[in-house]
Amino acid sequence: KGALKQNVWINQTLGYIVNVLRSFPFIILLVVLIPVSRFIVGTAIGPKADALSDMWRSKQIQYTWLRNSMGAYAPFWQVTGEALDHCLAAHAITDASVREKLMSAYLALDPFPEVPGVLDRLANAGKRLAILSNGNPEMLDPMVKASGLANRFEAVLSVDAAKVFKVDPRTYRLVEKTLGVKPNRVCFLSSNCWDAHGAAQFGFNVLWVNRAGAPDDNLPGTLAGQLKDLSGLPAMLGVA
């Protein structure tokens, strides 16, 4: 989740970032798909659409953090549905078809316009690309396939393998465990500021894709920089 979509993400000191990041062989992205909130606005929910979208995303992430604290992991698809059920009840929406449509929308999200071209440039330059997501495989596989981006990625990693959600260090450790790449050799991108800080605190070199121009969170973990979208990433990595 939290990952890959058009409504949240970077822009800072290019000289320093290019010097630091250009040698990284592995790039972890969670920033390429347009958020499901775009779909919600197009439904018949009416004026409740924006409020429902904001509450759903907030509850979805809140539930992952609470489950981490409780030691009560559940697949992200289940957590997403539980969060949506709360939000629909809070907004007095009882039409079962609305829930079905919103959950289904998660499995068919489009990439941001600049993403396919950027990924192709990085791949052609020899950069290895992967995804690390809170989503469970049964959720991630159809999402990535529907986006048309599956062949750009060497791996799609799910925290389900660690049975815990971000920002627990065990989730970020999956990168080295699965792909054999040390944290300091990874360029990690996320649209979620809290995820970006969690990854930086773990030891990744992190760019926050801050499409909305949101203020930085006051959290541990120093970010290497920010991007407004992915179009500036090749230059930061020294890719022509």
Side-chain angles (χ1 to χ4, degrees):
K1 219 18 289 10
L4 307 164
K5 328 228 157 143
Q6 184 161 334
N7 239 27
V8 269
W9 323 23
I10 292 186
N11 198 28
Q12 220 168 349
T13 33
L14 283 180
Y16 168 77
I17 292 171
V18 168
N19 289 334
V20 171
L21 300 184
R22 72 185 341 155
S23 64
F24 294 161
F26 221 106
I27 304 168
I28 306 294
L29 301 109
L30 186 60
V31 293
V32 301
L33 298 180
I34 296 172
V36 74
S37 58
R38 184 70 63 86
F39 172 85
I40 295 176
V41 174
T43 68
I45 298 174
K48 298 180 180 179
D50 287 339
L52 175 62
S53 173
D54 291 343
M55 179 183 285
W56 187 12
R57 178 58 176 164
S58 177
K59 280 294 179 182
Q60 181 192 50
I61 298 305
Q62 182 186 81
Y63 282 7
T64 64
W65 296 338
L66 291 173
R67 281 183 171 275
N68 274 4
S69 296
M70 296 174 183
Y73 175 82
F76 194 61
W77 186 248
Q78 175 184 327
V79 175
T80 298
E82 291 169 347
L84 179 57
D85 289 340
H86 168 86
C87 297
L88 292 174
H91 286 88
I93 298 172
T94 59
D95 185 347
S97 68
V98 171
R99 184 189 195 278
E100 181 180 355
K101 289 176 181 177
L102 294 180
M103 291 294 289
S104 296
Y106 253 99
L107 304 181
L109 299 175
D110 296 323
F112 287 103
E114 82 279 5
V115 167
V118 169
L119 296 185
D120 287 342
R121 288 177 64 188
L122 295 176
N124 290 338
K127 302 297 183 182
R128 299 167 65 190
L129 307 176
I131 293 171
L132 173 62
S133 174
N134 268 341
N136 51 293
E138 295 79 6
M139 181 180 183
L140 276 177
D141 291 347
M143 285 177 65
V144 176
K145 182 178 180 180
S147 74
L149 302 174
N151 64 347
R152 270 88 164 183
F153 295 104
E154 178 176 329
V156 178
L157 307 180
S158 168
V159 303
D160 192 66
K163 301 303 180 190
V164 67
F165 293 111
K166 299 176 182 179
V167 290
D168 189 291
R170 287 172 288 179
T171 62
Y172 304 114
R173 199 168 291 128
L174 289 171
V175 174
E176 181 176 2
K177 181 178 180 181
T178 307
L179 303 172
V181 182
K182 296 291 184 182
N184 65 354
R185 299 289 290 165
V186 171
C187 177
F188 184 96
L189 294 92
S190 179
S191 63
N192 300 307
C193 190
W194 53 267
D195 182 23
H197 279 279
Q201 180 69 7
F202 176 74
F204 291 151
N205 302 276
V206 179
L207 297 172
W208 174 30
V209 186
N210 184 12
R211 292 184 186 263
D216 196 354
D217 287 326
N218 296 317
L219 292 171
T222 302
L223 306 182
Q226 293 189 36
L227 292 168
K228 180 64 178 175
D229 56 42
L230 291 191
S231 60
L233 182 59
M236 287 187 170
L237 296 170
V239 173

